[in-house]
């Protein structure tokens, strides 16, 4: 079936290819303007929502920054207090030792035995105070293996024991919370 060129029916494709009428142009412009206004309204609404979200995030950021600064300030204050009062418990545990020493010095008519007994009691108090504060004595027995982390060899002597073992302790060492405060000064056996 072929199209008749003489057909004047307005719904034919030939009529659609002509120039648009003024009404059609006006309707198209109105529709285009309505679409543009709707798109602009959508963009404005989107912009307003984004600006509100931006303001909310900026507020959250400022609050988070303030929280971080407050936490940092509190942590600095805690560290400062910890440093300032770190020895408080240790000093408190040494006060009975100082009291015992003062009482011993105040005794005018004490015998040698009483002075010795008072000194032993005071030494026990001191050792207990050290232990309560995690200060542990390092006093290795003779014949134990030399440990360079806990001991300091002052001299090496020939001895009838295994090489590199402790012969004698010249001065006790101490650790505090498993960290060497002072190594024990020892004499070590030489290799044979």
């Amino acid at each position: 079936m072929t199209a008749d060129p003489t057909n004047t029916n307005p719904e034919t494709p030939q009529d659609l290819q002509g120039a648009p009428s003024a009404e059609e142009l006006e309707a198209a412009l109105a529709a285009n303007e309505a679409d543009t206004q709707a798109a602009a309204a959508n963009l404005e609404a989107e912009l307003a929502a984004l600006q509100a979200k931006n303001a909310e995030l900026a507020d959250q950021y400022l609050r988070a920054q303030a929280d971080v600064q407050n936490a940092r300030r509190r942590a600095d204050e805690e560290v400062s207090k910890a440093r300032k009062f770190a020895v408080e418990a240790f000093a408190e545990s040494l006060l009975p030792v100082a009291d015992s020493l003062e009482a011993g010095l105040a005794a005018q008519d004490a015998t040698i035995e009483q002075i010795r007994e008072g000194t032993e009691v005071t030494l026990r108090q001191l050792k207990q105070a050290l232990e309560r504060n995690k200060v542990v004595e390092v006093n290795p027995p003779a014949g134990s293996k030399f440990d360079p982390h806990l001991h300091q060899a002052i001299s090496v002597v020939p001895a009838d024991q295994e090489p590199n073992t402790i012969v004698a302790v010249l001065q006790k060492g101490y650790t505090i919370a498993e960290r060497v405060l002072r190594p024990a000064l020892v004499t070590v056996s030489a290799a044979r």
Side-chain angles (χ1 to χ4, degrees):
M1 181 163 131
T2 57
D4 182 11
T6 59
N7 187 0
T8 58
N9 188 354
E11 295 181 13
T12 62
Q14 293 154 349
D15 287 339
L16 293 178
Q17 293 179 359
S21 68
E23 292 87 24
E24 290 174 334
L25 283 175
E26 194 174 308
L29 283 174
N32 191 16
E33 188 175 316
D35 288 345
T36 304
Q37 287 176 352
N42 285 343
L43 287 176
E44 285 178 12
E46 233 181 280
L47 178 62
L50 288 174
Q51 285 174 336
K53 183 69 173 175
N54 185 30
E56 179 185 336
L57 290 174
D59 183 55
Q60 288 176 358
Y61 173 76
L62 289 176
R63 290 177 189 274
Q65 284 292 87
D67 287 344
V68 167
Q69 288 175 355
N70 288 338
R72 185 176 292 135
R73 182 185 46 78
R74 282 191 301 273
D76 288 344
E77 287 173 1
E78 289 297 318
V79 168
S80 176
K81 285 179 185 177
R83 286 183 181 148
K84 188 175 183 179
F85 299 111
V87 298
E88 182 178 14
F90 185 67
E92 189 175 303
S93 66
L94 288 179
L95 293 178
V97 176
D99 293 340
S100 292
L101 288 172
E102 288 174 354
L105 290 173
Q108 296 294 323
D109 299 328
T111 64
I112 298 285
E113 292 81 27
Q114 291 171 330
I115 292 173
R116 180 166 183 79
E117 184 179 327
T119 304
E120 289 172 352
V121 169
T122 304
L123 181 59
R124 275 195 302 275
Q125 285 177 326
L126 177 62
K127 286 183 177 184
Q128 289 171 353
L130 291 173
E131 286 176 7
R132 269 194 308 272
N133 290 282
K134 296 181 178 76
V135 178
V136 179
E137 187 177 274
V138 177
N139 188 15
S144 62
K145 187 79 173 152
F146 174 75
D147 182 355
H149 298 103
L150 296 173
H151 313 132
Q152 181 177 348
I154 296 301
S155 62
V156 178
V157 295
D160 291 331
Q161 57 190 50
E162 289 292 316
N164 213 21
T165 57
I166 295 171
V167 175
V169 176
L170 305 173
Q171 184 180 57
K172 296 175 187 177
Y174 292 91
T175 60
I176 184 165
E178 298 180 16
R179 182 176 173 183
V180 176
L181 188 60
R182 180 179 81 187
L185 302 180
V186 296
T187 302
V188 179
S189 61
R192 297 179 198 167

